Amino acid sequence: MGLSSRAAPGVEQRAELAAVSACHLADAVTLTAWSTAAAEDALDAIDVLTAALSGISPETAEALAAVVAATADARRRLGLPVAPDPDPGAAGEPAMPAPRPGHQAVPGAPSRPRPRRRGLGPGYQGIRTEC
């Protein structure tokens, strides 16, 4: 499946913001910079983006199934909670992040709810300084 030349309203801006935020995070981390909450949030972000991109096509979902497996493995190695493994015999469906308990899928909504926010909230955009 090919992608369209124009994204839905707000998608390109949000994708760019996610990429810029990931770059800022990568620039800020050192071996000792990670906390349990920070690692869990980063892995949640990877899972949410993977789930969103997997909605493009079954082929994309199949290609990204390795990312889902890798984040689950990283959670295990870091001692973080891991969602139960999907049913391996489920008609060849690729592994996808499962909705959190108590959340119900809504048509048109992302397949996985946003991770619980920690920190200053969605409106915080950092401290800007003139250099």
Side-chain angles (χ1 to χ4, degrees), residues 21-44:
S21 293
C23 289
H24 288 304
L25 176 61
D27 290 342
V29 298
T30 63
L31 291 177
T32 59
W34 290 99
S35 67
T36 300
E40 192 170 14
D41 283 345
L43 290 166
D44 283 346

Side-chain angles (χ1 to χ4, degrees), residues 1 4 7 11 20 22-23 28 47-48 53 58 61 69 72 77 81-82 88 92 98-99 109 115-116 121 130:
M1 172 184 185
S4 66
V11 172
V20 169
C23 289
D47 285 342
V48 169
L53 287 167
R77 292 172 186 238
V82 180
R116 193 175 98 233
E130 298 296 321

Side-chain angles (χ1 to χ4, degrees), residues 3-20 49:
L3 296 172
S4 66
S5 61
R6 293 180 57 132
V11 172
E12 285 183 13
Q13 295 85 356
R14 287 181 176 96
E16 181 180 6
L17 182 60
V20 169
L49 290 171

Side-chain angles (χ1 to χ4, degrees), residues 2 6-7 10-11 18 21 24-25 28 40 43 54 57 66 71 74 76 78 81 86 89 100 102 111 118 123 126:
R6 293 180 57 132
V11 172
S21 293
H24 288 304
L25 176 61
E40 192 170 14
L43 290 166
S54 293
S57 70
T71 57
R76 277 189 288 279
L78 293 170
R100 292 183 179 167
S111 62
R118 294 181 183 92

